[in-house]
Amino acid sequence: MNILLVCSAGMSTSILVEKMRKEAANRGIDASIDAIPESRLKEQTNVDVILIGPQVRYLEGKIKSSVDVPVAIIDNMAYGMMKGDLVLDQALGLVNA
């Protein structure tokens, strides 16, 4: 599974990515999880789900119209508390919906 987190610069979201990777490993889930700024989204291929950082929620419509995969805004509380397990659950729920 390829999970992509989109944010403004990729800095704070990179902390969340590490926590999500650790949680996926603990669960035995084979997942590639990366964070990129929105400006690099067009370069991405083979993505299963895109989660958008709450600070750039205004990009949701633009991103949804440009991709053919599930897209959602990361839960504000889970993002603020850097809860990698909850954000991983959100991504898995979107893919399995």
Side-chain angles (χ1 to χ4, degrees):
M1 170 184 299
N2 295 312
I3 302 169
L4 191 61
L5 278 59
V6 176
C7 56
S8 56
M11 297 305 199
S12 60
T13 308
S14 64
I15 297 168
L16 184 58
V17 165
E18 288 305 315
K19 291 185 177 210
M20 290 175 69
R21 287 176 180 162
K22 194 174 287 188
E23 182 64 22
N26 287 343
R27 295 184 194 183
I29 297 171
D30 183 21
S32 170
I33 307 168
D34 293 298
I36 61 163
E38 184 269 337
S39 62
R40 290 193 38 227
L41 187 57
K42 290 181 182 178
E43 303 168 14
Q44 304 305 307
T45 58
N46 196 27
V47 174
D48 296 307
V49 63
I50 297 173
L51 295 175
I52 303 168
Q55 71 276 28
V56 289
R57 67 178 53 248
Y58 63 89
L59 295 171
E60 182 180 20
K62 178 182 175 184
I63 293 172
K64 280 184 173 180
S65 68
S66 67
V67 298
D68 192 26
V69 298
V71 176
I73 297 169
I74 299 170
D75 177 80
N76 212 22
M77 187 69 84
Y79 185 87
M81 297 179 70
M82 292 287 142
K83 298 291 248 171
D85 57 336
L86 297 180
V87 180
L88 180 62
D89 287 342
Q90 184 180 7
L92 294 172
L94 288 167
V95 170
N96 296 324

